[in-house]
Amino acid sequence: MNGNRFGRLFQVTTYGESHGDAMGVTVSGCPAGLELDEEDVQKELDRRKPGQSMITTSRGEPDAVVINSGTQDGYTTGTPIGMVIENKDARSGKYEPYVTAPRPSHGDFTYSAKFGTRNWGGGGRSSARETVNWVAAGAVAGKILEAEGVQVKAHVNQIGDIEAPPVTFEEMLEHTEENEVRCAHPETADRMRDRIDEYQTEGDSIGGSIYFETRGVPRGLGAPRFDSFSARLGQAMMSIPATTAFEFGLGREAREWTGKDRNEDWTFDEEGDPTPVGNKHGGIQGGITTGQPVFGEVTWHAPTSIPKEQTTVDWETGEEKDIQVVGRHDPVLPPRAVPVVEAMLNLTIVDFMLLGGHVNPDRMDGQVGEYDTDYHPRSPDNQ
Amino acid sequence: MNGNRFGRLFQVTTYGESHGDAMGVTVSGCPAGLELDEEDVQKELDRRKPGQSMITTSRGEPDAVVINSGTQDGYTTGTPIGMVIENKDARSGKYEPYVTAPRPSHGDFTYSAKFGTRNWGGGGRSSARETVNWVAAGAVAGKILEAEGVQVKAHVNQIGDIEAPPVTFEEMLEHTEENEVRCAHPETADRMRDRIDEYQTEGDSIGGSIYFETRGVPRGLGAPRFDSFSARLGQAMMSIPATTAFEFGLGREAREWTGKDRNEDWTFDEEGDPTPVGNKHGGIQGGITTGQPVFGEVTWHAPTSIPKEQTTVDWETGEEKDIQVVGRHDPVLPPRAVPVVEAMLNLTIVDFMLLGGHVNPDRMDGQVGEYDTDYHPRSPDNQ
Amino acid sequence: MNGNRFGRLFQVTTYGESHGDAMGVTVSGCPAGLELDEEDVQKELDRRKPGQSMITTSRGEPDAVVINSGTQDGYTTGTPIGMVIENKDARSGKYEPYVTAPRPSHGDFTYSAKFGTRNWGGGGRSSARETVNWVAAGAVAGKILEAEGVQVKAHVNQIGDIEAPPVTFEEMLEHTEENEVRCAHPETADRMRDRIDEYQTEGDSIGGSIYFETRGVPRGLGAPRFDSFSARLGQAMMSIPATTAFEFGLGREAREWTGKDRNEDWTFDEEGDPTPVGNKHGGIQGGITTGQPVFGEVTWHAPTSIPKEQTTVDWETGEEKDIQVVGRHDPVLPPRAVPVVEAMLNLTIVDFMLLGGHVNPDRMDGQVGEYDTDYHPRSPDNQ
Amino acid sequence: MNGNRFGRLFQVTTYGESHGDAMGVTVSGCPAGLELDEEDVQKELDRRKPGQSMITTSRGEPDAVVINSGTQDGYTTGTPIGMVIENKDARSGKYEPYVTAPRPSHGDFTYSAKFGTRNWGGGGRSSARETVNWVAAGAVAGKILEAEGVQVKAHVNQIGDIEAPPVTFEEMLEHTEENEVRCAHPETADRMRDRIDEYQTEGDSIGGSIYFETRGVPRGLGAPRFDSFSARLGQAMMSIPATTAFEFGLGREAREWTGKDRNEDWTFDEEGDPTPVGNKHGGIQGGITTGQPVFGEVTWHAPTSIPKEQTTVDWETGEEKDIQVVGRHDPVLPPRAVPVVEAMLNLTIVDFMLLGGHVNPDRMDGQVGEYDTDYHPRSPDNQ
């Protein structure tokens, strides 16, 4: 409704502006008994953190998370988890000339038009800094997926016109974090890196895309139609700043496939369950997961903050003026967006798993002072 | 949550299966005083209706809507609008052999896996027949948009490898409904028609896509990030059966654009408001509408019901068996999906307009027995 | 939001006006495999039906329910259940003089002030006829509770100044439906009946209250604080037309009790679980159910439709005028509200049970064409 | 759903345990341009703060609020307002013996039964310390009401068997905060104070109630039936810890009133609008506000933390044991609950006002760097 909430049973609520005092996220609906400490969250934040390499903004944020509630003795208690990440390296001064003159292709004007005002330092609420909250919440969800044997991985599969060849899930796990572009195909990663350098040198920026894939997502997730797995995953991905396309399975290419070529016969898997003979369906049929890997792509447009001289208008003075967005900015978005995509996948999957009763409290570890978990309603022994 | 609800303030709730007794939809949150009768809804249902041409299923549904509540003397009263559309021409018999043997690439298995059962006649709840409810609700939303001067139009821009050249909004308005393919470029429509015939003759089906565009969507709609205009529109479009991709603005192509080429300077419009010099941003910046046309594309995979001989497995007998999906089916989905896309656009836009206070009760017409509308809280004279 | 939805996972959506064509209710989130036919719903509607006795309105509504979707071969399928109840005996004519002159203490003025119009026949949407939808939905929820061994019962414990002595749950089950007042204390029922006759003869009406109690509600329901069991039950009861008070446990009397007298020690129950030695807490501690019976009271003001001569004003003419509300009306509300209270209890409890994972799909019966329910995620064998 | 969210458009999300590191609350949906700083919130927190007098717990919490986001230069920006209140004086040690032995009539057992664990220090999440978040959020809502000319006031009208005579709204405004009992009738306040002292001396505690009243609540708020003003206010009040009854208007007494005596004729007010001749309806008719003052009562049971020797059982050892709840506790709840009731009234009213379009952005003050507010959609000049 107000844009700062995601999830139905696993609920995430966020606040914070790029140059405000702190970012904050509340996670409610997390099952009790999950092992969780700040380090679990911090290691994901560190992956998203600015200043990791030459191709990311040099803003020096430690992004240190503090968990204010919801855990005890290292385990979740089932009550809301409140986390705060302070903003340490905000320098708003250089944004001042543009308070009433919107930066080209940013959200400056739309925020002002919507609210009659805006927090202008660093883009305020419209900044991708907001995603630090998502990664923090996604880290909690990721711990649940880990306990349930679900895996999620994303990598950068295209930057500008440089496209990586298809890679296996294992290659994604192995290579993605090895290079600063986060492309699981090392050779392509090098080429992407060089191309990004070129754009950066020219004072320009470039678009790109991310491919994601899962393992172990249970069948039966998704509530067609408005809450189909694909609809909610689409919402999740399109809520990431600067995204312009969401695809799953054959995606945009599906328009050129015939039914005969795309349809998949059924066979039995090793446990005797029906399973499609292929996965051109991308793990989702009729809006519900089949148990096959879910895969797809998300596209980002080029970062809009570029040092090129551009023109804007000042709505106070009524005059045109030149604008050059200096600041400290990323020349390309997907590399830092990889942990964000994974976080949104985590959040989407866990939310559906909770809705479908797929999270087993007995797989959560023991707790201090626990009331005998035999009595937990969802425990197999108590139904 | 359960998949049958859409919208926050303009709320749509649906029920119905392909071969059930009736489809039903409840619209709540519609402003009072809107002129509305069954004919307004019927004319949209007629556009989506099966049996319109050779390239659509021959199922003979009149799709006659009955409005059970929410209007009086031809005007809405602000209370829930209940609509029912009876199913008249359901023939479930031929589905019987496949109750425990899923049709290839349908939702049969996933529904059964999710619920432990399913309504199997005609695909039951997973059938695109559900969209009759959406078109009915969208017709109500469309009346509000009409009163507010907002226009929405979609047309089929690609079938298989046949792609229509770009068309203007005016061409879309003029030509889309002239041909059975619903492509606004008449010459391409002919080629598409021929190609569809070929596939149909071969017992095959084909994918395709729809381009949509708007006029008059007010600036300021969308609540970033999770409820950004693009995120909610993405959810809306990806909830349509058989969709595999959603794009807006440059969409998937954005990955190849540089910041310099994509960024748009600001200028003043004729009313003295800031406006971008172009619309490569697709009417949305920072997740919020700019006032420029919103445009994008949605992709459908080929219909999965094809008369080709395929293989499935029966989970009761544990045996493989041949399957040939006879029934009465569409060889391609986008032509009949055009009114569905328009309906989902209507619903998404109206919902955001209500959230943002953009619907003016004074633009709704007079009513019988009305309490002096001067007192309506949102009336300009009473704030 | 718009007032026609109740429940989070077990979701009820309603429409309909007193003199509209039909009432309608959609139930989504009902587990699959529940045995359900129209007769199950009809028998509850018959309990609420008008015209049952001298002390209820003589409006002759058959209240025949039709189930349009969501079941197959007598079992639910997990998809939305759409139900319609036609209005047959509406006579709007006599309301016409009061279209612009509100009846004393009805919702006529507030509806008109809110919407700038209203459906005036029979009170339109503000009529308690709406509760026919709730009873229909509550009947579905009641079937789940029956499968889970949860019992719910209500009876009229006070009419005017005539108060019934405390009765046992067994007496409630045995005697409530024996008399038209629905008071489980037969002797008091007689006195109530006589008193109601007196008021009715005088052209007057009278208030009253209902006591409710449960058996078998599992411990652990309720999500403090805003969704505590008491908060949501309070919302449920206060949404019933004409209610003015909600109490549970000691209710209003609690203000006069000391901590020493009210506090309850802990002991072990026969299964070795902690249990309070008494139930002055009304089955709820810290906003969560303890497993003890939940009990409480709800109060109704006197029906506002009385044949007494009263004064109103006409906002069109600006003049005062006399008004006498003839129609066919109940002289007292609680007797017919007993099934409504039970329905709202059913809906509240089932919703919380689903949220807490307390509904066991294995306790739902078999289905035609089911996919092996061993695979249901919530099944004890599959976690 | 998870119990830590309140409101539809004005949304409050909370976290925190009694002895956790900090309490936190996120407010989203607050209109932009509202003057707001930490002092505005702090002065309300100071009213609720422990340690204010002999009859409140001596826990020494400064309850200092920090606003992390959502404001700029002293005005709200329309984006989420994140607030944190650190816990400074938590002493968990004395709770340790009772980790597996529930305190009588607390939420210890129910929390453990629900989650299989709990944060046991100071009652953890079940502690009324949570209400510090509500008062912080309510302070923000209160600023909007102030701008809109709506007033809200509560006072303690009964403690044990000592009942205050009716007081006027003006007396409530003048006298409530003068005494530590927060009873607007000074003489009764003295008697209440003495009685509380007696109970406290005896190591006992006592129940009580609060009367609330409003001025200026616009007509037309409330969405019958499930979101009627009374249903949502009921939920709000019953979510306050230790409440057992909610009443509005004649409340529980309504059961003894006849229709003739309770019904109110209509007349015209000075602006020529229809208005009831009295307010026995408590400002709500048909679930919607009439424009008359809304008033009612809420009841609290006696605090359960009393130094009396009581018995509990330890579910680890399986043995009975004595328990004496020492800690630092309030002997009576209503005096400190007055600001909590006012906060929940504020939140409920503002939420409904936003839903009904009753909050005028033009009444919010100017902002730094604002986009010309003439363009705000809800501005009278722009509809």
Side-chain angles (χ1 to χ4, degrees), chain B residues 1 273 358 371 375 377-378 383, chain D residues 1 273 360 371 375 378 383:
Chain B
M1 194 82 80
D273 288 324
H358 290 271
Y371 178 65
Y375 295 100
R378 285 192 178 166
Q383 288 197 322
Chain D
M1 195 81 84
D273 288 324
N360 187 344
Y371 177 65
Y375 294 98
R378 286 194 178 164
Q383 288 198 325

mmCIF file with all atom_site columns, all heavy atoms in Angstrom, chain B residues 1 273 358 371 375 377-378 383, chain D residues 1 273 360 371 375 378 383:
data_model
loop_
_atom_site.group_PDB
_atom_site.id
_atom_site.type_symbol
_atom_site.label_atom_id
_atom_site.label_alt_id
_atom_site.label_comp_id
_atom_site.label_asym_id
_atom_site.label_entity_id
_atom_site.label_seq_id
_atom_site.pdbx_PDB_ins_code
_atom_site.Cartn_x
_atom_site.Cartn_y
_atom_site.Cartn_z
_atom_site.occupancy
_atom_site.B_iso_or_equiv
_atom_site.pdbx_formal_charge
_atom_site.auth_seq_id
_atom_site.auth_comp_id
_atom_site.auth_asym_id
_atom_site.auth_atom_id
_atom_site.pdbx_PDB_model_num
ATOM 1   N N   . MET B 1 1   ? -3.300  -13.487 -1.250  1.00 0.00 ? 1   MET B N   1
ATOM 2   C CA  . MET B 1 1   ? -2.998  -14.580 -0.323  1.00 0.00 ? 1   MET B CA  1
ATOM 3   C C   . MET B 1 1   ? -3.519  -15.894 -0.890  1.00 0.00 ? 1   MET B C   1
ATOM 4   O O   . MET B 1 1   ? -2.785  -16.825 -1.102  1.00 0.00 ? 1   MET B O   1
ATOM 5   C CB  . MET B 1 1   ? -3.715  -14.289 0.998   1.00 0.00 ? 1   MET B CB  1
ATOM 6   C CG  . MET B 1 1   ? -3.240  -15.136 2.105   1.00 0.00 ? 1   MET B CG  1
ATOM 7   S SD  . MET B 1 1   ? -1.749  -14.424 2.779   1.00 0.00 ? 1   MET B SD  1
ATOM 8   C CE  . MET B 1 1   ? -2.442  -13.127 3.828   1.00 0.00 ? 1   MET B CE  1
ATOM 9   N N   . ASP B 1 273 ? 4.800   22.745  -16.067 1.00 0.00 ? 273 ASP B N   1
ATOM 10  C CA  . ASP B 1 273 ? 5.324   21.700  -15.193 1.00 0.00 ? 273 ASP B CA  1
ATOM 11  C C   . ASP B 1 273 ? 6.538   21.041  -15.830 1.00 0.00 ? 273 ASP B C   1
ATOM 12  O O   . ASP B 1 273 ? 6.605   20.911  -17.050 1.00 0.00 ? 273 ASP B O   1
ATOM 13  C CB  . ASP B 1 273 ? 4.263   20.609  -14.978 1.00 0.00 ? 273 ASP B CB  1
ATOM 14  C CG  . ASP B 1 273 ? 3.148   21.092  -14.089 1.00 0.00 ? 273 ASP B CG  1
ATOM 15  O OD1 . ASP B 1 273 ? 3.441   21.862  -13.150 1.00 0.00 ? 273 ASP B OD1 1
ATOM 16  O OD2 . ASP B 1 273 ? 1.990   20.706  -14.333 1.00 0.00 ? 273 ASP B OD2 1
ATOM 17  N N   . HIS B 1 358 ? -6.807  10.603  -6.525  1.00 0.00 ? 358 HIS B N   1
ATOM 18  C CA  . HIS B 1 358 ? -6.947  11.178  -7.868  1.00 0.00 ? 358 HIS B CA  1
ATOM 19  C C   . HIS B 1 358 ? -8.332  10.988  -8.473  1.00 0.00 ? 358 HIS B C   1
ATOM 20  O O   . HIS B 1 358 ? -8.555  11.355  -9.612  1.00 0.00 ? 358 HIS B O   1
ATOM 21  C CB  . HIS B 1 358 ? -5.912  10.554  -8.822  1.00 0.00 ? 358 HIS B CB  1
ATOM 22  C CG  . HIS B 1 358 ? -4.508  10.976  -8.547  1.00 0.00 ? 358 HIS B CG  1
ATOM 23  N ND1 . HIS B 1 358 ? -3.937  12.082  -9.105  1.00 0.00 ? 358 HIS B ND1 1
ATOM 24  C CD2 . HIS B 1 358 ? -3.555  10.444  -7.754  1.00 0.00 ? 358 HIS B CD2 1
ATOM 25  C CE1 . HIS B 1 358 ? -2.683  12.208  -8.694  1.00 0.00 ? 358 HIS B CE1 1
ATOM 26  N NE2 . HIS B 1 358 ? -2.435  11.223  -7.860  1.00 0.00 ? 358 HIS B NE2 1
ATOM 27  N N   . TYR B 1 371 ? -27.575 12.423  -0.822  1.00 0.00 ? 371 TYR B N   1
ATOM 28  C CA  . TYR B 1 371 ? -27.297 13.424  0.190   1.00 0.00 ? 371 TYR B CA  1
ATOM 29  C C   . TYR B 1 371 ? -26.369 14.420  -0.468  1.00 0.00 ? 371 TYR B C   1
ATOM 30  O O   . TYR B 1 371 ? -25.416 14.034  -1.142  1.00 0.00 ? 371 TYR B O   1
ATOM 31  C CB  . TYR B 1 371 ? -26.631 12.780  1.413   1.00 0.00 ? 371 TYR B CB  1
ATOM 32  C CG  . TYR B 1 371 ? -26.281 13.765  2.481   1.00 0.00 ? 371 TYR B CG  1
ATOM 33  C CD1 . TYR B 1 371 ? -27.289 14.452  3.149   1.00 0.00 ? 371 TYR B CD1 1
ATOM 34  C CD2 . TYR B 1 371 ? -24.971 14.020  2.803   1.00 0.00 ? 371 TYR B CD2 1
ATOM 35  C CE1 . TYR B 1 371 ? -26.977 15.370  4.125   1.00 0.00 ? 371 TYR B CE1 1
ATOM 36  C CE2 . TYR B 1 371 ? -24.644 14.932  3.779   1.00 0.00 ? 371 TYR B CE2 1
ATOM 37  C CZ  . TYR B 1 371 ? -25.654 15.613  4.438   1.00 0.00 ? 371 TYR B CZ  1
ATOM 38  O OH  . TYR B 1 371 ? -25.345 16.539  5.397   1.00 0.00 ? 371 TYR B OH  1
ATOM 39  N N   . TYR B 1 375 ? -21.057 17.710  0.594   1.00 0.00 ? 375 TYR B N   1
ATOM 40  C CA  . TYR B 1 375 ? -20.472 17.265  1.847   1.00 0.00 ? 375 TYR B CA  1
ATOM 41  C C   . TYR B 1 375 ? -19.481 16.136  1.664   1.00 0.00 ? 375 TYR B C   1
ATOM 42  O O   . TYR B 1 375 ? -18.911 15.660  2.607   1.00 0.00 ? 375 TYR B O   1
ATOM 43  C CB  . TYR B 1 375 ? -21.576 16.850  2.825   1.00 0.00 ? 375 TYR B CB  1
ATOM 44  C CG  . TYR B 1 375 ? -22.391 18.041  3.191   1.00 0.00 ? 375 TYR B CG  1
ATOM 45  C CD1 . TYR B 1 375 ? -23.612 18.295  2.591   1.00 0.00 ? 375 TYR B CD1 1
ATOM 46  C CD2 . TYR B 1 375 ? -21.891 18.963  4.123   1.00 0.00 ? 375 TYR B CD2 1
ATOM 47  C CE1 . TYR B 1 375 ? -24.343 19.415  2.916   1.00 0.00 ? 375 TYR B CE1 1
ATOM 48  C CE2 . TYR B 1 375 ? -22.614 20.092  4.455   1.00 0.00 ? 375 TYR B CE2 1
ATOM 49  C CZ  . TYR B 1 375 ? -23.851 20.317  3.840   1.00 0.00 ? 375 TYR B CZ  1
ATOM 50  O OH  . TYR B 1 375 ? -24.553 21.429  4.165   1.00 0.00 ? 375 TYR B OH  1
ATOM 51  N N   . PRO B 1 377 ? -16.317 14.328  1.503   1.00 0.00 ? 377 PRO B N   1
ATOM 52  C CA  . PRO B 1 377 ? -15.015 14.804  2.011   1.00 0.00 ? 377 PRO B CA  1
ATOM 53  C C   . PRO B 1 377 ? -14.007 15.134  0.927   1.00 0.00 ? 377 PRO B C   1
ATOM 54  O O   . PRO B 1 377 ? -13.192 16.034  1.095   1.00 0.00 ? 377 PRO B O   1
ATOM 55  C CB  . PRO B 1 377 ? -14.523 13.636  2.873   1.00 0.00 ? 377 PRO B CB  1
ATOM 56  C CG  . PRO B 1 377 ? -15.352 12.448  2.466   1.00 0.00 ? 377 PRO B CG  1
ATOM 57  C CD  . PRO B 1 377 ? -16.667 13.017  2.023   1.00 0.00 ? 377 PRO B CD  1
ATOM 58  N N   . ARG B 1 378 ? -14.038 14.411  -0.171  1.00 0.00 ? 378 ARG B N   1
ATOM 59  C CA  . ARG B 1 378 ? -13.020 14.661  -1.180  1.00 0.00 ? 378 ARG B CA  1
ATOM 60  C C   . ARG B 1 378 ? -13.409 15.763  -2.151  1.00 0.00 ? 378 ARG B C   1
ATOM 61  O O   . ARG B 1 378 ? -12.656 16.086  -3.058  1.00 0.00 ? 378 ARG B O   1
ATOM 62  C CB  . ARG B 1 378 ? -12.726 13.383  -1.957  1.00 0.00 ? 378 ARG B CB  1
ATOM 63  C CG  . ARG B 1 378 ? -11.903 12.416  -1.144  1.00 0.00 ? 378 ARG B CG  1
ATOM 64  C CD  . ARG B 1 378 ? -11.382 11.294  -1.995  1.00 0.00 ? 378 ARG B CD  1
ATOM 65  N NE  . ARG B 1 378 ? -10.555 10.416  -1.171  1.00 0.00 ? 378 ARG B NE  1
ATOM 66  C CZ  . ARG B 1 378 ? -10.163 9.210   -1.537  1.00 0.00 ? 378 ARG B CZ  1
ATOM 67  N NH1 . ARG B 1 378 ? -10.510 8.741   -2.715  1.00 0.00 ? 378 ARG B NH1 1
ATOM 68  N NH2 . ARG B 1 378 ? -9.413  8.481   -0.747  1.00 0.00 ? 378 ARG B NH2 1
ATOM 69  N N   . GLN B 1 383 ? -12.650 20.905  1.490   1.00 0.00 ? 383 GLN B N   1
ATOM 70  C CA  . GLN B 1 383 ? -11.393 20.539  2.133   1.00 0.00 ? 383 GLN B CA  1
ATOM 71  C C   . GLN B 1 383 ? -10.789 21.754  2.799   1.00 0.00 ? 383 GLN B C   1
ATOM 72  O O   . GLN B 1 383 ? -11.085 22.872  2.470   1.00 0.00 ? 383 GLN B O   1
ATOM 73  C CB  . GLN B 1 383 ? -10.433 19.926  1.111   1.00 0.00 ? 383 GLN B CB  1
ATOM 74  C CG  . GLN B 1 383 ? -10.901 18.525  0.708   1.00 0.00 ? 383 GLN B CG  1
ATOM 75  C CD  . GLN B 1 383 ? -9.801  17.733  0.045   1.00 0.00 ? 383 GLN B CD  1
ATOM 76  O OE1 . GLN B 1 383 ? -9.010  18.263  -0.706  1.00 0.00 ? 383 GLN B OE1 1
ATOM 77  N NE2 . GLN B 1 383 ? -9.741  16.445  0.315   1.00 0.00 ? 383 GLN B NE2 1
ATOM 78  N N   . MET D 1 1   ? -1.940  -9.944  11.110  1.00 0.00 ? 1   MET D N   1
ATOM 79  C CA  . MET D 1 1   ? -1.540  -11.328 10.812  1.00 0.00 ? 1   MET D CA  1
ATOM 80  C C   . MET D 1 1   ? -0.541  -11.808 11.861  1.00 0.00 ? 1   MET D C   1
ATOM 81  O O   . MET D 1 1   ? -0.769  -12.748 12.579  1.00 0.00 ? 1   MET D O   1
ATOM 82  C CB  . MET D 1 1   ? -0.868  -11.341 9.439   1.00 0.00 ? 1   MET D CB  1
ATOM 83  C CG  . MET D 1 1   ? -0.743  -12.696 8.868   1.00 0.00 ? 1   MET D CG  1
ATOM 84  S SD  . MET D 1 1   ? -2.297  -13.169 8.121   1.00 0.00 ? 1   MET D SD  1
ATOM 85  C CE  . MET D 1 1   ? -2.134  -12.390 6.507   1.00 0.00 ? 1   MET D CE  1
ATOM 86  N N   . ASP D 1 273 ? -27.326 20.864  8.321   1.00 0.00 ? 273 ASP D N   1
ATOM 87  C CA  . ASP D 1 273 ? -27.205 19.420  8.114   1.00 0.00 ? 273 ASP D CA  1
ATOM 88  C C   . ASP D 1 273 ? -28.047 18.668  9.131   1.00 0.00 ? 273 ASP D C   1
ATOM 89  O O   . ASP D 1 273 ? -28.197 19.115  10.270  1.00 0.00 ? 273 ASP D O   1
ATOM 90  C CB  . ASP D 1 273 ? -25.746 18.970  8.287   1.00 0.00 ? 273 ASP D CB  1
ATOM 91  C CG  . ASP D 1 273 ? -24.885 19.418  7.123   1.00 0.00 ? 273 ASP D CG  1
ATOM 92  O OD1 . ASP D 1 273 ? -25.395 19.427  5.995   1.00 0.00 ? 273 ASP D OD1 1
ATOM 93  O OD2 . ASP D 1 273 ? -23.714 19.770  7.371   1.00 0.00 ? 273 ASP D OD2 1
ATOM 94  N N   . ASN D 1 360 ? -6.618  16.850  4.629   1.00 0.00 ? 360 ASN D N   1
ATOM 95  C CA  . ASN D 1 360 ? -6.337  17.835  3.596   1.00 0.00 ? 360 ASN D CA  1
ATOM 96  C C   . ASN D 1 360 ? -4.852  18.177  3.563   1.00 0.00 ? 360 ASN D C   1
ATOM 97  O O   . ASN D 1 360 ? -4.344  18.777  4.505   1.00 0.00 ? 360 ASN D O   1
ATOM 98  C CB  . ASN D 1 360 ? -7.151  19.106  3.884   1.00 0.00 ? 360 ASN D CB  1
ATOM 99  C CG  . ASN D 1 360 ? -7.035  20.100  2.758   1.00 0.00 ? 360 ASN D CG  1
ATOM 100 O OD1 . ASN D 1 360 ? -6.140  19.991  1.914   1.00 0.00 ? 360 ASN D OD1 1
ATOM 101 N ND2 . ASN D 1 360 ? -7.918  21.075  2.747   1.00 0.00 ? 360 ASN D ND2 1
ATOM 102 N N   . TYR D 1 371 ? 7.792   20.627  -4.205  1.00 0.00 ? 371 TYR D N   1
ATOM 103 C CA  . TYR D 1 371 ? 7.222   20.809  -5.528  1.00 0.00 ? 371 TYR D CA  1
ATOM 104 C C   . TYR D 1 371 ? 5.879   21.463  -5.292  1.00 0.00 ? 371 TYR D C   1
ATOM 105 O O   . TYR D 1 371 ? 5.132   21.051  -4.411  1.00 0.00 ? 371 TYR D O   1
ATOM 106 C CB  . TYR D 1 371 ? 7.067   19.454  -6.231  1.00 0.00 ? 371 TYR D CB  1
ATOM 107 C CG  . TYR D 1 371 ? 6.425   19.557  -7.577  1.00 0.00 ? 371 TYR D CG  1
ATOM 108 C CD1 . TYR D 1 371 ? 7.063   20.224  -8.610  1.00 0.00 ? 371 TYR D CD1 1
ATOM 109 C CD2 . TYR D 1 371 ? 5.177   19.002  -7.795  1.00 0.00 ? 371 TYR D CD2 1
ATOM 110 C CE1 . TYR D 1 371 ? 6.476   20.340  -9.852  1.00 0.00 ? 371 TYR D CE1 1
ATOM 111 C CE2 . TYR D 1 371 ? 4.584   19.115  -9.036  1.00 0.00 ? 371 TYR D CE2 1
ATOM 112 C CZ  . TYR D 1 371 ? 5.232   19.778  -10.068 1.00 0.00 ? 371 TYR D CZ  1
ATOM 113 O OH  . TYR D 1 371 ? 4.630   19.904  -11.281 1.00 0.00 ? 371 TYR D OH  1
ATOM 114 N N   . TYR D 1 375 ? -0.164  21.142  -7.077  1.00 0.00 ? 375 TYR D N   1
ATOM 115 C CA  . TYR D 1 375 ? -0.341  19.963  -7.910  1.00 0.00 ? 375 TYR D CA  1
ATOM 116 C C   . TYR D 1 375 ? -0.735  18.731  -7.129  1.00 0.00 ? 375 TYR D C   1
ATOM 117 O O   . TYR D 1 375 ? -0.904  17.680  -7.684  1.00 0.00 ? 375 TYR D O   1
ATOM 118 C CB  . TYR D 1 375 ? 0.934   19.691  -8.720  1.00 0.00 ? 375 TYR D CB  1
ATOM 119 C CG  . TYR D 1 375 ? 1.169   20.797  -9.700  1.00 0.00 ? 375 TYR D CG  1
ATOM 120 C CD1 . TYR D 1 375 ? 2.044   21.825  -9.424  1.00 0.00 ? 375 TYR D CD1 1
ATOM 121 C CD2 . TYR D 1 375 ? 0.441   20.829  -10.891 1.00 0.00 ? 375 TYR D CD2 1
ATOM 122 C CE1 . TYR D 1 375 ? 2.220   22.858  -10.316 1.00 0.00 ? 375 TYR D CE1 1
ATOM 123 C CE2 . TYR D 1 375 ? 0.611   21.862  -11.789 1.00 0.00 ? 375 TYR D CE2 1
ATOM 124 C CZ  . TYR D 1 375 ? 1.505   22.881  -11.498 1.00 0.00 ? 375 TYR D CZ  1
ATOM 125 O OH  . TYR D 1 375 ? 1.671   23.901  -12.388 1.00 0.00 ? 375 TYR D OH  1
ATOM 126 N N   . ARG D 1 378 ? -4.987  15.810  -4.099  1.00 0.00 ? 378 ARG D N   1
ATOM 127 C CA  . ARG D 1 378 ? -6.135  16.017  -3.213  1.00 0.00 ? 378 ARG D CA  1
ATOM 128 C C   . ARG D 1 378 ? -6.402  17.484  -2.922  1.00 0.00 ? 378 ARG D C   1
ATOM 129 O O   . ARG D 1 378 ? -7.318  17.819  -2.184  1.00 0.00 ? 378 ARG D O   1
ATOM 130 C CB  . ARG D 1 378 ? -5.917  15.271  -1.895  1.00 0.00 ? 378 ARG D CB  1
ATOM 131 C CG  . ARG D 1 378 ? -6.093  13.777  -2.077  1.00 0.00 ? 378 ARG D CG  1
ATOM 132 C CD  . ARG D 1 378 ? -6.212  13.089  -0.755  1.00 0.00 ? 378 ARG D CD  1
ATOM 133 N NE  . ARG D 1 378 ? -6.423  11.661  -0.975  1.00 0.00 ? 378 ARG D NE  1
ATOM 134 C CZ  . ARG D 1 378 ? -6.269  10.730  -0.057  1.00 0.00 ? 378 ARG D CZ  1
ATOM 135 N NH1 . ARG D 1 378 ? -5.902  11.067  1.147   1.00 0.00 ? 378 ARG D NH1 1
ATOM 136 N NH2 . ARG D 1 378 ? -6.497  9.471   -0.325  1.00 0.00 ? 378 ARG D NH2 1
ATOM 137 N N   . GLN D 1 383 ? -8.874  19.354  -8.474  1.00 0.00 ? 383 GLN D N   1
ATOM 138 C CA  . GLN D 1 383 ? -9.743  18.208  -8.743  1.00 0.00 ? 383 GLN D CA  1
ATOM 139 C C   . GLN D 1 383 ? -10.752 18.558  -9.815  1.00 0.00 ? 383 GLN D C   1
ATOM 140 O O   . GLN D 1 383 ? -10.986 19.702  -10.118 1.00 0.00 ? 383 GLN D O   1
ATOM 141 C CB  . GLN D 1 383 ? -10.430 17.775  -7.448  1.00 0.00 ? 383 GLN D CB  1
ATOM 142 C CG  . GLN D 1 383 ? -9.438  17.108  -6.511  1.00 0.00 ? 383 GLN D CG  1
ATOM 143 C CD  . GLN D 1 383 ? -10.135 16.294  -5.441  1.00 0.00 ? 383 GLN D CD  1
ATOM 144 O OE1 . GLN D 1 383 ? -11.195 16.663  -4.975  1.00 0.00 ? 383 GLN D OE1 1
ATOM 145 N NE2 . GLN D 1 383 ? -9.551  15.184  -5.067  1.00 0.00 ? 383 GLN D NE2 1
#
